[in-house]
Amino acid sequence: MRAVVYRGVNDLRVETVPVPHIQSNELLVQVAACGVCPTDIKKIQFGTVPPPRIFGHETAGTISQVGARLKGFRVGERVALHHHVPCLDCHACRHRAFAQCAQYKRTGITAGFEPAGGGYAEYVRVMAFVLPGLVKIPARNSFLEGAMLEPVNTVLKAIKRLSLLPEDFVLVIGQGPIGLMFTRLLALRGMIVVASDYLPARLKLAKRLGAKYALRADEKSFCPKAMELTRGRGLDAAIVTVPSDAAVHQAQELARGAGQVLLFAHTRRGVSTELDLSAVCVEEKDLIGSYSSDFTLQNQVAKLVFGRRFDVRGLITHQFPLEHTEDAIQLAAHPAGDSLKIVIVQDEGPGCWKRSSRSGSVQKSVSI
């Protein structure tokens, strides 16, 4: 099968590798769509994990083989995958700190080599311990929607870490795909969302998704305007969806006493910044982080996405065939003015997408 293999820093190669062999309690899934995630981009660009690996974890596809001892699954079923599932029994899990669970830190989906998600390949092996996170895709919904469950899950998990009341003021710094997900989910929960970004088109979309206010992040009057919206009280929470230290300082300044600042994008280890810790201690401004997903939220996320209360389709702006994964990653790492969520799509099987023979772009072939 074809797969995009990570061979070193910024070194991705389309190679032929064996189709994964499954155990009797596992699934083999033919990949239809896989989103490009900033976490994988950082691993590729900074070489934070050793090669070779096949990345891609926001994956949806069709079951092509069911292990002999496995019940409840059929060949041909369309599914959205979930690559991390905790044990639910260890010390971390008892504190609901699932991302710190040793089992959770294992990746349960692979296309070969060290398990790394495997969605940038034609087939993936789904191990038994992550099957509880798998969701079947309803007939009316697309593989693209299925591939969006995992990132939406990470955002909902983060929101649930905040102590918010209806009509609290929440600033979402950055209106890329993740920031827009925060904006929509917070609006659905009754928050007054203040969206910030440099790009007017993204701020316009944030308003459509439920932001009450949209502010240009590069305006000199940004902080005074944000404070004015809250009548000088300050923000109840600020969410930083971009790896910017300046944004962290800005968020801490704008949070009210006993408000919260949540970091979502500072995932690169070994990078430090200076903070006024008296704001955390004396003013009781919580500084918290959130990382990865929570499979116990999968049914809630599926209901939001597949019921289209959160219609994620509008966030997907670009689709690339597997052979152009490197181009997709470059665009996601250096977004253009019109780019949001980037997805790798494949042309095998019903309900997938086919490549245009003229331009290499992808076009819808059938309803998915």
Side-chain angles (χ1 to χ4, degrees):
M1 69 174 183
R2 294 171 302 149
V4 178
V5 182
Y6 163 72
R7 290 291 179 181
V9 177
N10 290 322
D11 185 0
L12 296 176
R13 306 178 190 179
V14 180
E15 300 182 10
T16 299
V17 301
V19 174
H21 174 74
I22 67 168
Q23 303 296 316
S24 60
N25 59 350
E26 298 177 341
L27 294 176
L28 186 69
V29 171
Q30 184 179 14
V31 176
C34 183
V36 176
C37 174
T39 302
D40 285 342
I41 292 173
K42 289 175 185 176
K43 292 173 183 175
I44 292 165
Q45 293 187 331
F46 297 109
T48 58
V49 294
R53 307 210 179 202
I54 301 172
F55 290 118
H57 58 264
E58 300 174 358
T59 306
T62 303
I63 296 174
S64 64
Q65 187 178 344
V66 179
R69 291 195 295 116
L70 203 54
K71 306 296 182 185
F73 300 99
R74 291 184 294 103
V75 170
E77 287 183 315
R78 300 157 67 247
V79 292
L81 306 182
H82 199 74
H83 63 307
H84 288 308
V85 172
C87 72
L88 299 180
D89 189 48
C90 68
H91 183 78
C93 284
R94 290 197 297 272
H95 285 270
R96 293 192 66 83
F98 298 137
Q100 309 311 314
C101 165
Q103 175 175 292
Y104 183 97
K105 292 180 180 182
R106 293 173 54 208
T107 299
I109 299 176
T110 183
F113 309 111
E114 180 70 19
Y120 303 153
E122 292 183 273
Y123 291 89
V124 291
R125 169 190 166 206
V126 183
M127 300 178 200
F129 78 93
V130 295
L131 288 175
L134 181 147
V135 176
K136 296 177 182 179
I137 301 174
R140 81 161 185 153
N141 295 108
S142 68
F143 287 123
L144 295 176
E145 289 170 290
M148 292 290 280
L149 292 192
E150 197 274 345
V152 173
N153 186 309
T154 66
V155 171
L156 183 60
K157 174 199 169 182
I159 289 172
K160 285 181 174 287
R161 298 211 67 196
L162 297 170
S163 301
L164 295 173
L165 299 173
E167 299 190 351
D168 274 354
F169 278 84
V170 183
L171 170 66
V172 181
I173 299 177
Q175 294 298 306
I178 289 294
L180 290 165
M181 291 180 201
F182 270 107
T183 292
R184 180 58 180 160
L185 291 179
L186 286 163
L188 288 174
R189 294 170 76 86
M191 306 304 146
I192 300 172
V193 180
V194 182
S196 75
D197 201 277
Y198 295 118
L199 300 176
R202 290 187 172 185
L203 292 175
K204 186 176 180 181
L205 182 53
K207 291 276 283 186
R208 291 213 309 266
L209 290 175
K212 178 82 170 177
Y213 305 102
L215 303 178
R216 282 284 296 262
D218 53 351
E219 285 187 7
K220 290 183 179 179
S221 60
F222 174 79
C223 285
K225 280 185 178 179
M227 288 298 290
E228 184 181 344
L229 294 176
T230 69
R231 296 178 181 163
R233 183 186 71 197
L235 298 160
D236 297 290
I239 299 168
V240 184
T241 74
V242 291
S244 163
D245 290 352
V248 177
H249 289 283
Q250 188 181 68
Q252 190 182 50
E253 176 187 346
L254 290 171
R256 61 166 170 79
Q260 295 177 292
V261 175
L262 185 140
L263 306 185
F264 195 82
H266 286 71
T267 56
R268 187 181 171 196
R269 295 187 184 276
V271 179
S272 60
T273 188
E274 291 186 3
L275 289 173
D276 182 356
L277 296 181
S278 70
V280 177
C281 183
V282 179
E283 297 171 28
E284 300 182 316
K285 296 182 181 182
D286 289 346
L287 179 63
I288 59 177
S290 185
Y291 181 71
S292 199
S293 56
D294 176 352
F295 96 101
T296 68
L297 299 175
Q298 274 294 76
N299 288 336
Q300 186 177 347
V301 170
K303 197 172 290 186
L304 283 167
V305 172
F306 293 148
R308 293 180 181 157
R309 191 163 179 234
F310 182 6
D311 191 344
V312 297
R313 295 174 296 175
L315 297 181
I316 300 169
T317 56
H318 292 75
Q319 298 145 46
F320 287 78
L322 185 67
E323 292 85 350
H324 293 177
T325 296
E326 188 171 8
D327 295 331
I329 288 170
Q330 284 300 316
L331 179 58
H334 307 285
D338 64 342
S339 64
L340 288 169
K341 189 63 182 176
I342 315 298
V343 181
I344 307 302
V345 293
Q346 302 201 38
D347 58 358
E348 290 83 12
C352 293
W353 293 66
K354 66 180 180 180
R355 295 188 298 277
S356 164
S357 59
R358 287 184 302 146
S359 64
S361 62
V362 291
Q363 300 175 334
K364 196 171 184 179
S365 58
V366 294
S367 176
I368 67 172

